[in-house]
Amino acid sequence: MKSHFAKLFFALLCTAALGTAVTCISMGLHHAMVNSQQPPVPANSVEAANQAKIVLEYKCAACHAADAKPNSFLNALSLGLMQRHVDAAKATFTLTPDHTLHSGVVDYLKMDRVLTTRRMPPASYSTVHLGSALTPTDVAALRHHYKPEGAPARMFIPISPVSAPATRAEQARVLLGQLLFNDPRLSTSNEVSCASCHDLTKGGTDNKPKSDGVPGTDGKPQQGGVNAPSVYNAAGNIRQFWDGRAANLQEQAGGPPLNPVEMGYQYPEDWQDIADKLGRDPRLAALFALAYGDAGITAETITDAIAAYEQTLVTPDSDFDRYLKGDTEALSSEQKQGLKKFVLYGCATCHAGPTLGGISFENINTHADLRELATKGIPGSHSSRAEDATCAACHPDGVEPAAARANAEYREGAFGRMDFTKNPAHKDLFRVPNLRNVALTWPYFHTGTVDSLEDAVRIMCMTENDMEPTEGAVKEITAFLRAQTGKLNGKPLDKLTPADVAPPASAPCEQAPTPATGGEI
């Protein structure tokens, strides 16, 4: 009997080996044929475009096209290796343009990184698919076509100041939005405002794992399912919310009031109740009339005003902004080393543009399980010490670390973009948070369970770059990230007081003052 099983096992191994060999030969002949047909290095942009199209179609698209599928027979012979490669590739990057998922800037930077590091295709793929690796001719064509010299300019762009709204109606709209942003009457309890979860003196967040909403049936504040992202620089996001369910700031502003957990209302017709409450305030009624005329107080005008104010919540003049504008002394030597590693490790492919992120949705579990690392912590690290009662290093006032404050039976119900689109291919795609003012916006990730910026860097390197950075690298990168703290109305965000961000106590409606604006993206 043992001899029979041994022979059967040996036969299965031979079959697997034969299948892999057939796959290698088949794919190798295909790619060798493509490579043999490649012309020399392109002489002009037209030739480069033609050659790049060939490379993308016959090599990259085999895994990175949105509809890429392996040959079922060859996949079976390779024991599913081809399917695993395709699944991993599509989870990371697709060639099919989809600007609801990723900005063209991110696509460009990802291509530039691949051509710089030559990490694609991975060794395991090239081993099975002989001839699939990018040749020098391939790289030359893609480089010529994508013009890599433009990459640094697309990677980092400083935030610049803007002028104030030009007309009285625009001024009234922004002031009205500021008042509404701080108005708890948008909630059923008359206690929860936008500013409750997006405190401008706390980096535009509330520094809580989950934000407190209106009271539930037990009288205690209900809590949302994910950590509240910063409202600062949100105007630069590709879409709003972690799952991107809102296309813009106005749609986002309409979400919390009709969320039974956050502000308590539930149905579209509830906007009339909100409008009635606001309309009883003579100052607000006059500002609505000045800003919107006969349109009055409606869901449309309420959310438009809040969005107009949030457009002003951008934070220029960080140390990094000044460095980008030519002040070479704005960053310390340690921060400059952190910037180099931030680019070297590939962080800047997704955390790019003027807000250092927010312009694409990315898979959170590319190389490791982010939820597990973010909730259980990295062994031996700051975040794994959830059993500590307090952590004086981050919280001299004795506040418990986020991992300790989070529910011990934490179960994350949000699966990113898929929650909104219902497309299984979008599972675990989350909008990349922007890194402006990141030193102030703890706890980190949609889980809200990591207080330490150092641990957030470690987790990102493990999940997105498949590496554990050295302590020196972590220190340098976090020093660079602390150079992202900008200013609002000329004052550093970490120095703001409630008085600095409070709406004016009173103002004649005919001369509605313009809240000082921070900048533009």
Side-chain angles (χ1 to χ4, degrees):
M1 181 66 70
K2 291 182 179 179
S3 175
H4 175 73
F5 281 120
K7 290 179 180 179
L8 179 60
F9 180 70
F10 181 73
L12 290 173
L13 286 179
C14 290
T15 301
L18 177 61
T20 302
V22 170
T23 302
C24 290
I25 293 172
S26 300
M27 298 301 293
L29 289 174
H30 170 75
H31 288 296
M33 185 178 298
V34 172
N35 289 337
S36 67
Q37 296 173 350
Q38 288 181 336
V41 178
N44 54 59
S45 59
V46 175
E47 287 187 12
N50 290 335
Q51 288 180 237
K53 182 178 179 181
I54 292 173
V55 176
L56 293 172
E57 181 177 353
Y58 288 99
K59 288 192 175 183
C60 306
C63 289
H64 289 285
D67 58 353
K69 294 180 181 179
N71 178 283
S72 57
F73 175 70
L74 295 179
N75 182 58
L77 291 179
S78 66
L79 301 181
L81 181 60
M82 293 181 70
Q83 184 66 61
R84 291 193 293 275
H85 280 137
V86 170
D87 290 344
K90 290 199 291 187
T92 304
F93 175 67
T94 59
L95 291 169
T96 306
D98 184 349
H99 297 306
T100 65
L101 289 179
H102 37 81
S103 161
V105 172
V106 172
D107 293 347
Y108 182 100
L109 292 172
K110 285 186 176 182
M111 180 64 73
D112 178 70
R113 177 164 171 75
V114 165
L115 297 177
T116 300
T117 63
R118 302 293 297 276
R119 294 178 66 180
M120 292 291 117
S124 60
Y125 183 89
S126 297
T127 300
V128 176
H129 311 102
L130 296 178
S132 63
L134 296 179
T135 68
T137 302
D138 295 336
V139 174
L142 292 170
R143 277 289 190 202
H144 199 301
H145 182 58
Y146 283 94
K147 297 180 176 59
E149 66 272 9
R154 300 184 186 213
M155 189 176 292
F156 299 126
I157 304 170
I159 298 179
S160 302
V162 293
S163 57
T167 68
R168 280 197 302 154
E170 291 172 344
Q171 294 170 18
R173 195 161 61 108
V174 173
L175 175 58
L176 179 58
Q178 185 181 20
L179 292 168
L180 293 173
F181 184 85
N182 290 276
D183 199 325
R185 288 174 292 186
L186 294 179
S187 68
T188 54
S189 66
N190 296 317
E191 295 177 346
V192 179
S193 68
C194 304
S196 299
C197 303
H198 301 286
D199 188 333
L200 300 187
T201 68
K202 297 180 179 179
T205 69
D206 55 8
N207 296 140
K208 297 178 180 179
K210 305 293 172 63
S211 299
D212 292 336
V214 296
T217 54
D218 59 359
K220 297 179 180 179
Q222 301 179 83
Q223 293 191 327
V226 292
N227 178 254
S230 174
V231 71
Y232 281 125
N233 307 303
N237 291 340
I238 185 171
R239 294 181 69 89
Q240 304 300 324
F241 295 114
W242 286 102
D243 60 8
R245 63 184 179 275
N248 51 48
L249 287 176
Q250 184 175 9
E251 283 191 17
Q252 188 279 331
L258 298 191
N259 185 311
V261 171
E262 296 181 32
M263 289 185 168
Y265 292 102
Q266 299 187 53
Y267 307 106
E269 53 267 29
D270 290 338
W271 279 111
Q272 188 58 54
D273 290 342
I274 298 173
D276 290 343
K277 281 197 291 184
L278 298 178
R280 290 192 286 271
D281 185 322
R283 184 188 186 194
L284 286 183
L287 280 171
F288 270 106
L290 178 59
Y292 297 102
D294 294 338
I297 306 176
T298 67
E300 178 74 16
T301 56
I302 292 170
T303 55
D304 180 75
I306 294 173
Y309 172 61
E310 290 182 344
Q311 289 277 355
T312 73
L313 298 179
V314 292
T315 57
D317 203 28
S318 68
D319 291 343
F320 187 50
D321 284 323
R322 292 189 291 110
Y323 178 80
L324 291 174
K325 291 179 179 180
D327 183 356
T328 59
E329 301 303 314
L331 297 184
S332 68
S333 58
E334 183 180 46
Q335 289 170 333
K336 291 175 183 177
Q337 288 300 314
L339 169 58
K340 290 180 180 179
K341 288 184 172 61
F342 190 79
V343 175
L344 178 65
Y345 293 169
C347 311
T349 57
C350 300
H351 291 288
T355 57
L356 274 70
I359 54 177
S360 69
F361 290 80
E362 305 293 343
N363 192 294
I364 62 172
N365 304 316
T366 304
H367 297 288
D369 191 326
L370 182 141
R371 289 187 183 87
E372 182 174 357
L373 291 174
T375 54
K376 295 182 179 179
I378 305 170
S381 72
H382 178 116
S383 64
S384 67
R385 298 196 295 272
E387 67 276 8
D388 292 349
T390 61
C391 181
C394 289
H395 304 291
D397 58 354
V399 177
E400 290 181 292
R405 300 197 303 274
N407 191 323
E409 298 180 355
Y410 172 84
R411 292 183 296 273
E412 178 53 61
F415 289 100
R417 190 78 176 126
M418 186 185 76
D419 285 346
F420 175 68
T421 65
K422 310 306 179 185
N423 183 347
H426 294 164
K427 182 180 179 181
D428 287 340
L429 291 182
F430 284 78
R431 179 174 52 76
V432 175
N434 77 67
L435 297 183
R436 292 290 183 171
N437 314 302
V438 67
L440 309 178
T441 60
W442 52 270
Y444 301 107
F445 307 122
H446 70 285
T447 60
T449 50
V450 176
D451 271 341
S452 164
L453 184 56
E454 287 80 3
D455 279 345
V457 169
R458 292 185 184 96
I459 290 172
M460 278 289 94
C461 284
M462 295 170 69
T463 59
E464 303 306 308
N465 205 29
D466 196 22
M467 62 168 289
E468 292 191 40
T470 65
E471 288 303 306
V474 171
K475 184 179 179 182
E476 290 168 345
I477 292 174
T478 52
F480 165 67
L481 293 177
R482 290 190 173 95
Q484 306 307 323
T485 302
K487 296 179 180 179
L488 184 71
N489 305 336
K491 189 171 184 177
L493 260 63
D494 56 348
K495 305 297 183 184
L496 291 177
T497 67
D500 293 322
V501 297
S506 62
C509 295
E510 296 79 9
Q511 299 176 353
T514 303
T517 57
E520 69 179 348
I521 295 173

